[in-house]
Every structure is written in structure tokens, then in C-alpha cells.
Amino acid sequence: MKTTAPAAELAPPPAKAAVRERLWLYDTTLRDGQQSQGVDFSVEDKAAVASALDGLGIDYVEGGWPGANPTDSAFFAAVPRLTRARLAAFGMTKRSGRSAANDDVLAGVVNAGTPVVCLVGKSHEFHVRTALGVPLEENVANIAASIAHLVGLGREAILDAEHFFDGFRANPAYALDCLRAALDAGARWVVLCDTNGGTLPVEVGRMTAAVVAAGIPGEKLGIHAHDDTGNAVANTLAAVDAGARQVQGTLNGLGERCGNANLASLIPTLVLKEPYASRFETGVGAGTLPALTRVSRLLDDILNRVPDRQAPYVGASAFTHKAGLHASAILKDPSTYEHVAPEAVGNARVIPMSNQAGLSNLRERLAQAGIEVAAGDPRLAAILAEVKAREDRGYAYDGASASFELVARDMLGQLPRFFEVERYRVTVERRRDAKGTAVTASEAVVVARFGAERVMSVSESHDPVTGADQGPVNALARALRKDLGPYQAYIDDMRLVDFRVRITSGGTEAVTRVLIESADREGRRWSTVGVSANIVDASFQALQDAIVWKLVRDGAPVAG
């Protein structure tokens, strides 16, 4: 009797998933980033950044150059415990006239005890002859001896081929000889460095492909790009397209001059965008990528820098849709104006309120704040009219979403009355100190009422280290936050992270707009605005809004 096989047996076997190639991520923030003007990491800062990068899934974290400065030496003396990343120390190849084992500079790097050591070696004949002043062959021998020494000690050795692209233009054979010397000595990686940052993507792609064609395997080839033409990310992708499989860069693009390739832009591009997402895998996957925005802003917090609002993927404006037409389309389908979902990188979509907004945008913005208002509710039109009228007077709610939320809640009857500021006074005194130098001193007094309780706060404004006056607005902020009665515990972790002032009209009746950005220990950031002919009063409005917004979001009870 003939039987028919089950359908499952007749179906063709499922297609095998394509095997993705591995890309290795190498972060140099703690060294290259420290070369940025105005950046000065402490040992604790370095440890915090290294731990954050480790949690993100970075494969290599370069801690700095042991012996180059006290901070780097102290960091390597007590390195944080990393669970994923391999810690690397950076240094240079041995000097001429010394063996690798007897070079004290190289020994300082080796003695850091890291599992990975990256050495910079020159690959441009001009630099070898001019900067080092040694024969070309001697430089190649120094590279080989240095790498062999590291490998003999059981370390993973990496050569950063300095000025490689300039060197390859001038003398391709010599630049390749430097790479081969390192690989023959046992280097795990040789990295093509665009040290001057002047090479363009088409050149990087062409030269990297030529290196691979010359026999340098792509799985041992890396790229290190600087951003002097604004092409560091593009150059890195061009090198990956041509065969490089290690990507070096810094968080937020820190680095000397114009910075290095920005890993905060590169990582999501490699993980989320085609053809890279299907072709490659990295140590950062879908599970850890949403931490990217938090890690990026952590670095800015550590450095006391204002985050770049328009940074790709992680900037506060990266998924902000102000134009009415765009915002309307976003409400129907976010993919109309977003190339990736903001949640994928830990960011958030923002549809700000402005004089370009419509009712549908307003409802969406209110919903994001947890305020549900039915379509057709006449209060929507009233809120929109009020926002537009206020913007005519100088307010700017597209950059102050927390203040907008308070305006809307007030008009909807949903704004708690936590406290009332009865009055405030700010004084600025200019006098001469004991040395005869002219100095200023600012003082603020705030009188607030919490139900039946009345509190007066007084605060001066001076730097705790230098004693210098920090101005009347600082004094006012300190006084306002010094004693907020029953709400003090809610605001103890608040801090002001940005303060911007703009004059919106000229003449003797000029109107001042103050925008401030606040943050708390949970990593939340919110922006508020104040407008007045008096800069102190405009600041006071923005400061008070910042406090009230936090009390609303934290569910503070109204004082009896």
C-alpha cells in the first residue's frame, strides 16, 4: 500500500542563517579622548568610563599610556574589574640603540600587566627620516623586535601604524613592510592610522583594499581615523567595506584637534544599518545597544560638558520632530521620518511644542507626558493658542518641554500647587578685597510658603574651592533649593547642567530668554524656560519650573 509522507517531511529544510563576520570594537577614549582640549580625566573618571564601556560590550578598552603621566600610572595600578572587555595599555616601539627588553619606556608599558598592549610605530618614511632620524630598515627592525618581545611575554600585541595613509601614498612598499614586520613577529592586529585626519573615504577604501590584496589578512587589520575633514566615521566604514575587521574610535568623538571616529555613531550604524547589520556582529548587540545614549551622556557628565543635542543617534534632538508636517506623519508611522527606532539606542522621540505645532502634535506631546486628552476637547485649542501667544512674547517651548508640560497641566487643572514663592531678593556688591583687587559678592533671599509653613532661605554665591563669586543667578538657585520645606528630599539630587541666555529683542526694552537644563541621579534631563526684561527674573522662572516639574514627575504630595 502506498503511503504519503507527512507534509513536514516533504518540505525543504530551512535555509541556514548566514554566518556573520566578527567586527572588533576598540575604544581609545581614555587616551585619545584625554588629548581633547579641556578634557582632564581623574583616576575615578577613567574607572567609571572603562566600566561603562565594558557593560556596553566594547571588546577592547585602552586605558592610557602607563608612565606618561601620574593619572595613567595610577589607573593601571588599580584597574577596575572588567567582565567583557580586554584592557589595553598604549606605548611606543622600542628606541634605537636599546633592546626591547632594556628599553625603560617600553618596560613601563609592559609592567602595567595588561593582557593587551598597543604600540605606535611609524610607517611613513618621511617621519622615520625626519622625526626619528634613523634608517628605514632600522625602524622596521624596531617594530619587529618590540612586537616579538610582547608576544614572548604572552601579551596580545597590536601595532598602530602611524601616518599609514600618508606613508602609503609616498612609499607603498615601505608602509607594507612595517605591517608585515609586525605580523611576522606575532602581532594580533595591525591598524591603519589616518593620523593627520586628511584622507578621504574613497582613498581610505582604495588603500585598505590594496593592503588586503597585498596579503595582509583583513581579520588582522584595523582602522584608526581622525576627524579633521569631518569624515572619520565615513573613513572607518570605508575601511570596513574594504576588509578591515577592527574598528578604533572614541566615545562622543573625543580626541586631539577635531577628534576621532565617534563610536557613538559607528556602533549603531554597524548594528542596525544595512549592509553591516546582516554582514557583521559586534560585542554590542540588541541587548546592550539601548545603553548607548546613557553611556554617551555619562561621559559628558563626567567631563562637565553639555551633550551635543544634534549628535546622531544619542543627541537629545536626534529624534525630535518640530515641523508640523513631519510631526503629523510621525504620529501615523514613525518610519516616515526616522531611520531607526529611538528606543534601539536608548533615546526617545520628542515632538516639541512650538508655533509650528498642530492639535494632533499637541495630543501626542501630552500623551508622552502622561496626560490624556480626548480628540476634540476644546481645551486643546486653548493650550495651543496659549503656547503660540507665549512664543510671540519670547518663550521657546521646543527647547523647554518641561515648561510646556507645566503650562498644559495648569490649563487642564492638573498642576499641583506645591509651594508659593512670596518674594525673592538678589543683591550684588562690588568691593575691593584685602589686596585691593575689585571683587563681587552675590547674595539671594527667597521666602516661600508651603501650606501654613513659611520658610526663608538665604544663600551666597561663591566657588567652594577658589571662593570666587559665581554670580546672582547661582545665588538665587542655591537659595531656592536650600530649604524647600517638605519637598527638600525630592530636590536634593537636582543639579543644573546647562544655562543659556538669549536677548530676543533689542533696545532698552530688550527681553531676555533663559533656558536651563537640569538633571538628577536617575539620569533624567529636563529643560525649562523663563522670559523677562530682567535676566535674574527670567532665570528664577526657569529654576522654579525645573523644581515643580521634578515634584510632579516624582509624585510629591501637596503640602497641607
Side-chain angles (χ1 to χ4, degrees):
M1 179 177 178
K2 186 177 180 180
T3 60
T4 302
E9 295 180 13
L10 296 175
K16 292 183 178 179
V19 177
R20 294 187 296 168
E21 294 182 71
R22 185 68 154 85
L23 280 181
W24 302 87
L25 302 173
Y26 186 110
D27 183 275
T28 70
T29 301
L30 300 181
R31 180 182 61 85
D32 279 315
Q34 191 160 262
Q35 295 174 7
S36 302
Q37 186 175 12
V39 171
D40 187 16
F41 290 117
S42 68
V43 176
E44 293 75 19
D45 293 340
K46 281 178 168 274
V49 173
S51 296
L53 293 169
D54 180 45
L56 188 61
I58 300 297
D59 298 299
Y60 297 89
V61 172
E62 188 178 271
W65 189 328
N69 58 72
T71 301
D72 281 7
S73 297
F75 171 77
F76 284 106
V79 296
R81 184 172 179 271
L82 305 181
T83 58
R84 302 185 189 189
R86 291 172 65 78
L87 186 66
F90 182 86
M92 66 180 186
T93 55
K94 81 170 189 71
R95 292 165 292 176
S96 293
R98 299 170 174 84
S99 69
N102 292 318
D103 188 299
D104 58 320
V105 176
L106 182 56
V109 178
V110 170
N111 292 341
T114 58
V116 182
V117 176
C118 179
L119 299 181
V120 61
K122 296 191 181 298
S123 58
H124 186 352
E125 64 172 1
F126 169 74
H127 282 266
V128 174
R129 290 194 173 104
T130 305
L132 295 181
V134 301
L136 299 183
E137 298 78 8
E138 189 171 324
N139 177 61
V140 173
N142 288 343
I143 290 172
S146 301
I147 296 295
H149 178 62
L150 297 178
V151 174
L153 295 173
R155 310 296 175 82
E156 180 178 338
I158 300 174
L159 175 73
D160 268 8
E162 189 181 35
H163 295 286
F164 178 82
F165 293 99
D166 294 332
F168 191 85
R169 286 191 200 93
N171 188 337
Y174 184 73
L176 288 170
D177 283 346
C178 294
L179 302 184
R180 291 193 182 101
L183 288 176
D184 290 346
R188 169 63 182 91
W189 296 100
V190 289
V191 181
L192 312 183
C193 299
D194 184 30
T195 310
N196 287 346
T199 310
L200 299 179
V202 65
E203 298 177 285
V204 169
R206 176 180 60 80
M207 287 189 250
T208 304
V211 169
V212 174
I216 306 297
E219 62 269 19
K220 293 191 173 185
L221 193 62
I223 176 68
H224 180 110
H226 285 251
D227 204 34
D228 295 74
T229 66
N231 282 289
V233 169
N235 282 344
T236 301
L237 295 175
V240 170
D241 291 339
R245 294 297 176 261
Q246 187 199 87
V247 170
Q248 293 195 359
T250 61
L251 193 59
N252 296 347
L254 294 183
E256 192 174 23
R257 302 187 312 274
C258 303
N260 287 46
N262 189 348
L263 288 181
S265 298
L266 276 166
I267 291 172
T269 296
L270 295 170
V271 174
L272 299 174
K273 305 293 290 183
E274 296 297 346
Y276 307 103
S278 297
R279 186 178 176 190
F280 300 109
E281 65 174 337
T282 70
V284 180
T288 58
L289 186 60
L292 182 65
T293 297
R294 176 183 57 79
V295 172
S296 168
R297 294 177 184 175
L298 170 68
L299 176 63
D300 284 324
D301 282 346
I302 287 173
L303 297 176
N304 196 27
R305 291 159 54 113
V306 178
D308 179 1
R309 298 187 64 87
Q310 293 185 301
Y313 298 106
V314 298
S317 297
F319 299 95
T320 295
H321 309 277
K322 179 178 177 180
L325 180 63
H326 295 184
S328 178
I330 282 287
L331 299 180
K332 298 171 183 176
D333 187 335
S335 66
T336 53
Y337 286 96
E338 289 177 353
H339 66 109
V340 299
E343 298 82 9
V345 293
N347 210 335
R349 179 179 304 115
V350 177
I351 300 179
M353 295 314 301
S354 71
N355 56 14
Q356 299 185 43
L359 292 179
S360 59
N361 300 350
L362 174 59
R363 286 190 66 227
E364 174 65 15
R365 180 64 190 87
L366 292 174
Q368 291 176 353
I371 306 171
E372 297 295 334
V373 183
D377 190 317
R379 294 177 298 177
L380 289 172
I383 293 172
L384 189 58
E386 177 66 15
V387 167
K388 292 184 177 181
R390 283 171 170 258
E391 292 211 336
D392 282 343
R393 299 200 301 269
Y395 289 86
Y397 290 109
D398 61 323
S401 57
S403 285
F404 156 73
E405 182 183 329
L406 298 183
V407 170
R409 286 185 181 276
D410 189 28
M411 297 190 68
L412 293 169
Q414 299 179 19
L415 183 62
R417 304 298 177 184
F418 297 109
F419 61 92
E420 176 189 358
V421 175
E422 290 187 358
R423 63 183 178 86
Y424 73 83
R425 183 178 72 249
V426 178
T427 61
V428 179
E429 179 185 2
R430 190 174 190 271
R431 58 174 181 255
R432 295 191 178 276
D433 62 15
K435 296 181 180 179
T437 304
V439 296
T440 61
S442 302
E443 182 181 79
V445 178
V446 174
V447 179
R449 184 178 293 278
F450 312 91
E453 183 182 2
R454 188 168 180 266
V455 174
M456 175 184 288
S457 296
V458 180
S459 181
E460 293 180 321
S461 176
H462 60 273
D463 186 282
V465 177
T466 65
D469 181 31
Q470 294 184 306
V473 174
N474 181 271
L476 181 60
R478 288 186 180 188
L480 189 59
R481 297 200 303 259
K482 185 176 182 180
D483 187 355
L484 208 62
Y487 303 113
Q488 190 62 36
Y490 290 92
I491 67 167
D492 278 341
D493 66 333
M494 276 186 65
R495 67 186 190 282
L496 191 151
V497 296
D498 192 20
F499 179 89
R500 287 169 285 161
V501 178
R502 182 175 178 182
I503 306 302
T504 63
S505 62
T508 58
E509 297 180 355
V511 173
T512 302
R513 177 196 300 149
V514 170
L515 285 161
I516 72 171
E517 186 173 1
S518 304
D520 62 15
R521 68 167 64 97
E522 295 181 13
R524 292 183 301 185
R525 289 177 179 267
W526 62 100
S527 298
T528 50
V529 63
V531 171
S532 173
N534 186 309
I535 186 174
V536 174
D537 189 57
S539 303
F540 174 79
Q541 294 175 37
L543 289 167
Q544 181 169 282
D545 272 9
I547 291 173
V548 172
W549 184 90
K550 188 170 194 303
L551 296 179
V552 170
R553 282 304 174 98
D554 286 354
V558 176

